[in-house]
Amino acid sequence: MKRLVKLGCLAGAFCLLFCACASKPEAEVNRSDFVLGTVCSISITSGGTEKILDEAFARLREIENRMSANKEGTEIAAINEASGKKPVTVTPDTFYVISKALEYAQKTNGAFDPTVEPLVKLWNIGSEDAKVPPLSKIKSALALIDYKKVQMDPDKLTVYLPVPGMRLDLGAIAKGYAADEIEKIMVANKVKSAIIDLGGNVFVYGKKKDGTPWRVGIQNPYSDRGEYIGLVTGGQMTVVTSGVYERYFIENGKRYHHILDTKTGFPVDNGLISVSIVTESSIDADALSTSVFALGLDKGMKLVESLKDVYAIFIDSNNKVYLSPGTNKIFTLTDNKFSLSDYK
């Protein structure tokens, strides 16, 4: 049995960051560090200081230390450990992010589900221990996934998982929240322009010093070298991509990626290989990129169309690119190996 494991999503991160800051303005301050389970980079291209970066990375670590499902002592870990036993009191930001995750679970009828952690742990995709689990264990994990059972008390700020073994995972939404929090720090410190790249979750903030629009590259899902298939051009925005290239392993010649189907227990298999969301709120873009990918082209497109000021770029396994209404005004395809197709 041969297995190949791909860790992280640094290729996507590099592509997006590189395209966004191909020409560096003067007096730029920047920093990269490993936090939130990935390499996070913040470049303040105008109006920044090292002290602002200190504040920004301190906030990222605070969010990680509250919301990670993979670290001991976090609020999410406490909720998971207390499943079937008692409610756990959390901070307002953790309560908010869980509430937003449940909101998207409802919008997608569970295609996006923050209680997916038992299945995530079973597959271990993104680690050297990744492998196809036995069907019996997949069925047992699926029985624990049900966002409707999560009990939230807004007055007491408590979260309760009533079934022993239930577990939360905010991995598909927490980085988006973190990017929005960094934006608040930029506003408070009167930063003029910045690029926030949290492992491929990109937020371009403010206006570029030279007055030109931001350009953010959409990762080529077949490339590990930071190549892009096209450019999103515009003002302040967030661009978040979910795809089969981010974390995966290969077993017996078959690729298994990290976006899991909460109905089958296996990686989502609907013909899509990448979905990028462009909008103003990064927490929404983060949740939507996973949600829309899991829903597939038809249902995903309908969800995007129901939302205001949200744009989506779908890439399928035939190298066809589908754009939600209005996206053609901000996206330009640059790779002739891919083709734009009408969605009907």
Side-chain angles (χ1 to χ4, degrees):
M1 179 185 296
K2 293 183 179 180
R3 287 215 311 271
L4 180 150
V5 179
K6 180 177 183 293
L7 303 177
C9 53
L10 300 184
F14 174 78
C15 170
L16 292 166
L17 181 59
F18 177 80
C19 297
C21 58
S23 58
K24 280 189 177 181
E26 295 180 3
E28 176 177 320
V29 293
N30 55 73
R31 187 179 303 171
S32 296
D33 206 349
F34 192 85
V35 61
L36 297 172
T38 188
V39 175
C40 294
S41 301
I42 301 174
S43 296
I44 302 179
T45 55
S46 182
T49 64
E50 292 290 340
K51 186 177 179 180
I52 298 172
L53 290 178
D54 291 341
E55 182 180 354
F57 275 91
R59 182 63 175 131
L60 292 180
R61 296 192 189 288
E62 183 177 50
I63 292 169
E64 179 181 47
N65 291 336
R66 289 176 178 172
M67 302 185 198
S68 174
N70 300 314
K71 292 181 66 174
E72 293 183 3
T74 69
E75 293 175 4
I76 297 302
I79 293 168
N80 292 343
E81 289 168 7
S83 63
K85 299 174 184 176
K86 62 180 181 179
V88 173
T89 302
V90 298
T91 51
D93 55 353
T94 300
F95 192 91
Y96 169 73
V97 175
I98 296 172
S99 298
K100 286 288 287 187
L102 294 174
E103 175 187 318
Y104 278 97
Q106 186 174 17
K107 285 180 186 291
T108 62
N109 194 29
F112 178 99
D113 194 325
T115 66
V116 73
E117 177 68 359
L119 200 58
V120 172
K121 286 294 185 187
L122 189 61
W123 281 85
N124 260 325
I125 298 174
S127 78
E128 294 292 343
D129 298 323
K131 61 182 178 181
V132 179
L135 280 175
S136 59
K137 290 189 176 182
I138 290 176
K139 290 180 180 179
S140 296
L142 285 173
L144 296 170
I145 300 172
D146 188 353
Y147 71 93
K148 295 178 182 177
K149 292 180 180 177
V150 181
Q151 298 177 18
M152 309 279 287
D153 188 328
D155 295 322
K156 297 180 180 179
L157 289 180
T158 60
V159 183
Y160 180 46
L161 304 179
V163 180
M166 283 187 74
R167 297 178 65 88
L168 288 175
D169 186 332
L170 300 180
I173 195 170
K175 284 195 297 182
Y177 174 73
D180 289 335
E181 289 297 288
I182 301 306
E183 180 207 4
K184 292 179 183 177
I185 291 173
M186 299 300 154
V187 171
N189 286 281
K190 298 181 180 179
V191 169
K192 294 178 182 178
S193 61
I195 302 161
I196 304 159
D197 185 344
L198 309 185
N201 287 47
V202 172
F203 196 122
V204 285
Y205 167 83
K207 296 181 179 180
K208 292 174 66 177
K209 193 173 182 178
D210 62 5
T212 60
W214 293 108
R215 299 195 308 159
V216 181
I218 300 300
Q219 168 74 17
N220 183 328
Y222 299 112
S223 172
D224 288 338
R225 298 187 300 275
E227 297 176 358
Y228 56 91
I229 69 152
L231 294 168
V232 177
T233 305
Q236 179 169 308
M237 59 183 162
T238 186
V239 183
V240 181
T241 300
S242 290
V244 301
Y245 64 90
E246 291 178 335
R247 294 194 303 277
Y248 64 84
F249 70 95
I250 296 174
E251 185 171 302
N252 293 332
K254 182 175 175 61
R255 176 194 290 248
Y256 297 89
H257 64 81
H258 76 295
I259 304 175
L260 300 173
D261 189 323
T262 55
K263 298 292 188 291
T264 68
F266 282 80
V268 172
D269 185 8
N270 57 20
L272 292 179
I273 57 173
S274 174
V275 172
S276 297
I277 299 293
V278 184
T279 188
E280 297 177 354
S281 164
S282 200
I283 191 171
D284 290 314
D286 202 3
L288 275 169
S289 66
T290 302
S291 295
V292 170
F293 187 100
L295 286 171
L297 179 59
D298 293 333
K299 292 181 179 179
M301 186 71 79
K302 288 178 182 177
L303 175 58
V304 172
E305 289 175 348
S306 73
L307 303 171
K308 185 179 179 181
D309 297 326
V310 174
Y311 306 94
I313 301 157
F314 300 77
I315 305 175
D316 73 9
S317 56
N318 295 316
N319 289 5
K320 292 183 178 179
V321 179
Y322 299 87
L323 306 179
S324 65
T327 307
N328 63 313
K329 296 178 181 178
I330 62 171
F331 175 75
T332 303
L333 184 66
T334 59
D335 190 330
N336 59 17
K337 298 183 184 67
F338 297 80
S339 61
L340 287 174
S341 296
D342 292 329
Y343 173 74
K344 297 179 181 180

